[in-house]
Amino acid sequence: MRVAVYGANGFQGKLTTAMLMQNGIQAVLVGRNQERLTAAAGELEMSAVELRVAEATDRRALLRAFEGCGAVINCAGPFTRRAEPIVSAAIAAGYHYVDTAGEQGFVKSVFDNFSGEAQKAGVTVLPSATDGAVPGDLVAHMIARRAGQIDSIIVAHKIVGGGGPSKGSLRSVVETCGDIAAGGLTYEDGAWRNGEPLDRSTIAFLGDEEVAISKFPLIEAVTIPRHVWVRRVVGVIETSIATRLSVPFSEQMIEAVSNPSPDVRKDQTFLIVLEATSTDGGVLRGTVEGTDAYGTTAAIAVECTRRLVEGQARSGVLAASQAFEPVEFLDRLAAYNVRWRIEEKTRKAFMP
Ligand SMILES: NC(=O)c1ccc[n+]([C@@H]2O[C@H](COP(=O)([O-])OP(=O)(O)OC[C@H]3O[C@@H](n4cnc5c(N)ncnc54)[C@H](OP(=O)(O)O)[C@@H]3O)[C@@H](O)[C@H]2O)c1
């Protein structure tokens, strides 16, 4: 199996390439700069690896670069306004496409703009194969199997420790600061809407301590309604993090940031909490806990890609739960320290 990694010399690109190698999959390193690709191959101690240069805007070069690969993993963020030519080239060449985007507007546009093309080409496109979006989407599907008729789902993300975001993540925050300031899309009554207010102000992540939350453009608000019959889905993060991310980061500030090292990443915990309220008022709570968000993203992107190349999913642009069997996939992630559970929760009075 051969897989092209676009943006292979970036922080997430290198982690993803290393994870492909760890899984015995041959990686082809693709990017816009030969020297930076060569340096990345050196860092990864890949002496006989194939490097292919292609600008993200050069369709013919992209088609050449992807030739002979069963799939493309795109790690070149920010994705907004830049990654669509890469999605389009992968589909046109007949290859599955996976990416590590955390940008809600971009992911929504991939579903909106490429579903028909992907189906016609017989390939699967799975945007946002990340630590947050994939487990969150899969657990939501499992909750729906248990809950019967669901009225609403709130999805909350929290990260503890781990050295903070990478330079690339910060650039994605800058690129999407408008969406972040507005809180992103809420799915409500059959459509995705901007500007819907939150109907609660806190959530408990672990234990009973309620933490202040703010609306945030999480990917699950885009993916869950594609396979769960639900009236409302909204994403939130801790207010303290939302406040930190709303500071306008200059390129100088981003350049001064260090990408998180393996040592600090292993001490990081990420948490995803999903609370689903059924139409009869019962609340089911799903929790995902993991370590090392960037390492887990590499594992998830590779796991999704391997399964697509093996033909496990139908064609089209798909959410993780539409592509794979949720329990089997979630249990596979235990090998990467990801744990999940679903429990019944007594309904609390929501704050106004
Ligand atoms: N949970 C999540 O949401 C999640 C988790 C992990 C990663 N991510 C996302 O993954 C992305 C990558 O992060 P990172 O830390 O790896 O960033 P990074 O280290 O800055 O790497 C970015 C890569 O993209 C390439 N690139 C950037 N702009 C390009 C352009 N216009 N044309 C062609 N190539 C371009 C860069 O190539 P050059 O070196 O040539 O500039 C580099 O290879 C970010 O968007 C991040 O938010 C999201």
Side-chain angles (χ1 to χ4, degrees):
M1 192 183 292
R2 264 171 127 203
V3 170
V5 181
Y6 193 80
N9 62 290
F11 174 66
Q12 188 64 57
K14 281 185 282 196
L15 291 175
T16 304
T17 304
M19 188 58 72
L20 284 169
M21 286 162 59
Q22 203 177 306
N23 279 267
I25 301 171
Q26 199 183 333
V28 174
L29 277 56
V30 189
R32 60 177 167 180
N33 181 287
Q34 175 83 36
E35 275 173 29
R36 289 196 283 273
L37 287 174
T38 305
E43 275 177 57
L44 293 167
E45 297 176 1
M46 298 170 83
S47 48
V49 71
E50 213 175 324
L51 311 178
R52 300 182 185 171
V53 176
E55 287 284 348
T57 47
D58 186 341
R59 187 176 177 86
R60 285 173 66 183
L62 288 171
L63 292 174
R64 274 198 304 274
F66 299 157
E67 215 172 278
C69 300
V72 175
I73 305 180
N74 183 11
C75 300
F79 295 82
T80 304
R81 283 190 291 276
R82 294 186 196 142
E84 290 207 3
I86 300 171
V87 186
S88 175
I91 296 173
Y95 305 130
H96 302 297
Y97 171 93
V98 164
D99 67 39
T100 62
E103 297 158 43
Q104 190 195 55
F106 165 73
V107 172
K108 171 86 167 38
S109 77
V110 172
F111 278 97
D112 291 347
N113 300 337
F114 291 104
S115 291
E117 272 180 52
Q119 266 174 32
K120 228 185 283 169
V123 299
T124 310
V125 171
L126 200 147
S128 201
T130 60
D131 60 299
V134 166
D137 185 78
L138 296 171
V139 169
H141 195 84
M142 293 316 300
I143 289 176
R145 279 193 194 163
R146 291 239 312 243
Q149 184 77 54
I150 295 178
D151 178 64
S152 66
I153 300 179
I154 183 167
V155 187
H157 285 197
K158 177 182 168 97
I159 289 197
V160 185
S166 69
K167 292 180 203 291
S169 290
L170 287 175
R171 290 192 181 102
S172 289
V173 167
V174 170
E175 186 68 40
T176 57
C177 59
D179 288 348
I180 291 173
L185 297 165
T186 300
Y187 179 82
E188 190 153 287
D189 296 323
W192 282 274
R193 303 168 201 280
N194 276 303
E196 296 291 311
L198 268 184
D199 56 2
R200 59 192 288 179
S201 58
T202 64
I203 200 165
F205 281 94
L206 286 178
D208 287 334
E209 192 200 343
E210 294 281 329
V211 176
I213 48 173
S214 299
K215 223 175 134 209
F216 196 79
L218 296 184
I219 305 300
E220 292 96 311
V222 170
T223 62
I224 292 170
R226 292 170 197 279
H227 51 88
V228 172
W229 190 257
V230 60
R231 187 185 59 80
R232 188 171 204 263
V233 185
V234 64
V236 300
I237 60 170
E238 276 179 290
T239 300
S240 58
I241 305 285
T243 308
R244 261 191 270 158
L245 293 179
S246 65
V247 172
F249 296 100
S250 66
E251 188 53 32
Q252 217 177 0
M253 286 161 79
I254 293 174
E255 269 308 320
V257 162
S258 301
N259 286 330
S261 68
D263 275 352
V264 293
R265 289 200 332 264
K266 79 174 164 32
D267 291 331
Q268 177 190 65
T269 306
F270 68 86
L271 283 166
I272 307 167
V273 168
L274 298 100
E275 283 193 5
T277 306
S278 63
T279 47
D280 61 10
V283 178
L284 275 181
R285 182 180 156 97
T287 310
V288 179
E289 283 178 68
T291 55
D292 181 6
Y294 291 104
T296 304
T297 293
I300 286 176
V302 169
E303 194 61 32
C304 289
T305 305
R306 181 180 64 74
R307 286 160 188 258
L308 296 186
V309 176
E310 285 171 355
Q312 288 191 24
R314 63 178 166 84
S315 56
V317 182
L318 303 183
S321 296
Q322 295 174 301
F324 311 118
E325 170 48 43
V327 170
E328 196 269 321
F329 196 110
L330 283 163
D331 288 347
R332 165 76 186 128
L333 294 180
Y336 302 101
N337 290 327
V338 178
R339 297 170 302 283
W340 68 285
R341 63 182 181 277
I342 295 172
E343 60 210 346
E344 275 183 40
K345 178 178 183 270
T346 319
R347 191 169 193 208
K348 289 191 174 182
F350 291 164
M351 289 169 68

